[in-house]
């Protein structure tokens, strides 16, 4: 069911509420790796007062009678986990984008089931006499920290019309005002839709290293495209990663950071049950990989709480002198007896260092695994390490959401005690 009905709180001067259902073609883009884009039909009723006067702030309600997309056939969505947000377009005598926000209120939605979305509400301050039309625009469906963005692909019919009469302090008819008359904007943490923009940190210059006195080097954030092997099948996804280094003698302490926001846990996660690791790929003068890993979760993670990927750390002991590059490599996540392994589909350099060869370092692609007491491992090809059978135990699918990018799509945890296994 869709919550809220068509109830509407109107200003004392506003006229009787009116609404009509409209339908429009919509293109929906689910999170990366979850499902293919969907072309469907959205059906909406917009409720607004039939008459009002300049200066009134009117309430409007967007009621979904049909969402364009269904729940992907991956995971059941529990009750009260889905939040819609969107934009209502005002046109005619006054042009404005009205931010609309729903509530995280929904019945349980099975895999492949129809998306059932709460009513969205917003307000519009009327500034110009004349006829103001209202039509639905784009909307975003948020579930488990992931966003599905749905955008109209054609002309959207008018769903409601407000006849605005002149009032004290208003603009004369035919003088539209800017769209800053919109209020009730959605919370950034709830309604931010995914984008491909990423912030970047300054990269270390080629002269970084010995001779400058510098000891800390900040890498560039790179958006890494991953091909992931997960318990629910192959997934393609992107995640922003940054590699920083701190010089300690002839070696470097590495920190791999997953920047951006996090996702919510779909189930209760016991303490010490999730452990990520990565093989940082060396290039340029040096070759091989450096193993970096993070700590397990120190405390239980309750269903609905954020899942954070901690910083991964390792030690890089150079095996060659010259300009050496560091790039994110194979990412693995250990959790409760299952395995997720994500391999970059292209190499992106995050950090460049001027290095000096050290004894027993990661020398130019030779097979010297364990040359730095387990912190550094290399492969004969200088490529990505095989991590599917590491000594850290089984790996479990873990979703990473970075504001604008998602790794592994939906967070999937299998064999959770007391819960149905997700397939």
């Amino acid at each position: 069911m869709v919550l809220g009905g068509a109830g509407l709180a109107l200003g004392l001067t506003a006229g009787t509420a009116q609404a009509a259902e409209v339908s429009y073609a919509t293109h929906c883009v689910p999170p990366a790796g979850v499902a293919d884009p969907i072309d469907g039909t959205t059906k909406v009723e917009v409720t607004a007062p039939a008459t009002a006067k300049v200066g009134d702030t009117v309430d409007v309600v967007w009621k979904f009678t049909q969402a364009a997309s269904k729940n992907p056939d991956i995971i059941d969505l529990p009750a009260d986990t889905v939040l819609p947000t969107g934009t209502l377009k005002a046109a005619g005598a006054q042009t404005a984008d009205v931010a609309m926000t729903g509530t995280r209120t929904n019945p349980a939605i099975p895999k492949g089931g129809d998306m059932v979305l709460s009513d969205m509400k917003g307000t519009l301050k009327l500034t110009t006499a004349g006829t103001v039309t209202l039509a639905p625009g784009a909307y975003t469906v948020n579930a488990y920290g992931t966003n599905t963005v749905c955008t109209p692909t054609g002309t959207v019919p008018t769903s409601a019309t407000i006849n605005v009469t002149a009032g004290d302090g208003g603009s004369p008819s035919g003088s539209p005002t800017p769209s800053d008359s919109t209020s009730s904007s959605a919370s950034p943490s709830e309604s931010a839709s995914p984008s491909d923009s990423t912030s970047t940190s300054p990269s270390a210059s080629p002269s970084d290293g010995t001779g400058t006195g510098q000891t800390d080097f900040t890498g560039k954030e790179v958006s890494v495209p991953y091909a992931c092997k997960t318990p629910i099948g192959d997934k393609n996804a992107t995640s922003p990663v940054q590699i920083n280094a701190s010089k300690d003698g002839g070696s470097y302490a590495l920190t791999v950071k997953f920047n951006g926001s996090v996702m919510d846990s779909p189930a209760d996660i016991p303490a010490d049950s999730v452990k990520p690791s990565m093989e940082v790929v060396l290039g340029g003068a040096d070759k091989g990989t450096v193993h970096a890993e993070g700590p397990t979760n120190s405390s239980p993670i309750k269903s609905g709480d954020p899942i954070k990927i901690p910083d991964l750390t390792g030690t890089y002991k150079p095996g060659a002198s010259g300009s050496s590059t560091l790039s994110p490599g194979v990412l693995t996540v250990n959790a409760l007896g299952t395995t997720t392994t994500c391999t970059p589909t292209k190499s992106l350099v995050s950090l460049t260092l001027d290095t000096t060869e050290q004894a027993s370092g990661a020398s130019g692609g030779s097979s010297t695994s364990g040359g730095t007491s387990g912190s550094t491992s290399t492969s004969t090809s200088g490529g990505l390490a095989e991590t599917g059978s590491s000594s850290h135990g089984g790996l479990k699918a873990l979703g990473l959401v970075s504001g604008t990018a998602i790794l592994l799509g939906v967070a999937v945890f299998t064999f959770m005690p007391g819960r149905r296994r997700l397939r």
Side-chain angles (χ1 to χ4, degrees):
M1 67 178 175
V2 180
L3 304 179
L8 184 64
L10 301 178
L12 294 178
T13 60
T16 304
Q18 42 84 42
E21 182 183 272
V22 296
S23 63
Y24 56 97
T26 312
H27 182 70
C28 296
V29 181
V34 173
D36 293 330
I38 299 163
D39 290 302
T41 301
T42 300
K43 296 181 179 180
V44 169
E45 289 182 2
V46 175
T47 304
T51 60
K53 69 178 184 180
V54 172
D56 287 348
T57 297
V58 296
D59 295 340
V60 290
V61 176
W62 171 327
K63 177 186 179 72
F64 288 96
T65 56
Q66 177 181 298
S69 63
K70 295 181 181 292
N71 180 23
D73 192 19
I74 294 176
I75 185 173
D76 295 332
L77 294 174
D80 303 336
T81 57
V82 180
L83 174 74
T85 56
T87 301
L88 191 68
K89 298 288 187 178
Q94 177 180 343
T95 301
D97 287 343
V98 184
M100 306 295 291
T101 306
T103 58
R104 207 175 288 278
T105 310
N106 60 275
I109 304 174
K111 295 186 289 289
D114 292 335
M115 292 298 293
V116 182
L117 306 175
S118 67
D119 292 354
M120 300 192 298
K121 298 180 180 181
T123 60
L124 172 66
K125 184 174 182 179
L126 301 172
T127 60
T128 308
T131 299
V132 176
T133 61
L134 301 174
Y139 60 93
T140 297
V141 180
N142 176 276
Y144 282 147
T146 68
N147 289 313
T148 295
V149 181
C150 296
T151 307
T153 55
T155 301
V156 181
T158 295
S159 184
T161 300
I162 306 174
N163 293 315
V164 184
T165 58
D168 294 338
S171 300
S173 179
S175 302
T177 60
S179 59
D180 59 2
S181 56
T182 307
S183 61
S184 186
S185 60
S187 165
S189 64
E190 295 283 19
S191 64
S193 62
S195 69
D196 290 331
S197 63
T198 56
S199 60
T200 58
S201 302
S203 60
S205 67
S207 62
D208 290 335
T210 58
T212 66
Q214 184 177 359
T215 58
D216 295 323
F217 308 97
T218 302
K220 177 177 65 176
E221 182 184 277
V222 290
S223 293
V224 183
Y226 281 104
C228 299
K229 300 290 185 181
T230 85
I232 61 169
D234 295 347
K235 303 291 177 184
N236 294 317
T238 302
S239 184
V241 182
Q242 180 178 338
I243 302 173
N244 300 328
S246 179
K247 198 169 189 299
D248 183 11
S251 298
Y252 295 86
L254 301 184
T255 301
V256 180
K257 305 179 75 71
F258 287 86
N259 296 328
S261 59
V262 297
M263 67 152 301
D264 295 336
S265 172
D268 291 339
I269 310 292
D272 300 322
S273 59
V274 179
K275 185 177 181 66
S277 63
M278 175 183 283
E279 306 306 313
V280 176
V281 179
L282 304 175
D286 214 346
K287 294 294 184 292
T289 58
V290 178
H291 181 75
E293 61 182 43
T296 60
N297 53 310
S298 60
S299 59
I301 305 171
K302 293 185 177 296
S303 177
D305 284 354
I307 300 174
K308 295 183 178 181
I309 298 301
D311 291 348
L312 313 182
T313 59
T315 300
Y316 168 39
K317 191 173 186 180
S321 297
S323 180
S324 299
T325 62
L326 291 85
S327 304
V330 170
L331 169 71
T332 59
V333 181
N334 296 347
L336 301 177
T338 63
T339 299
T340 289
T341 303
C342 294
T343 303
T345 59
K346 65 178 179 180
S347 180
L348 296 173
V349 174
S350 175
L351 183 63
T352 301
L353 298 170
D354 268 3
T355 57
T356 301
E357 181 179 355
Q358 303 295 308
S360 302
S363 54
S366 63
S367 181
T368 56
S369 178
T372 57
S373 301
S375 296
T376 304
S377 61
T378 63
S379 62
T380 54
S381 63
L384 302 179
E386 295 295 333
T387 59
S389 59
S390 72
S391 61
H392 301 298
L395 297 172
K396 184 178 178 95
L398 179 63
L400 306 175
V401 174
S402 175
T404 64
I406 301 168
L407 178 60
L408 307 186
V410 178
V412 178
F413 289 83
T414 56
F415 302 107
M416 295 305 300
R419 294 180 181 267
R420 179 184 301 176
R421 177 179 176 181
L422 306 177
R423 298 184 295 274

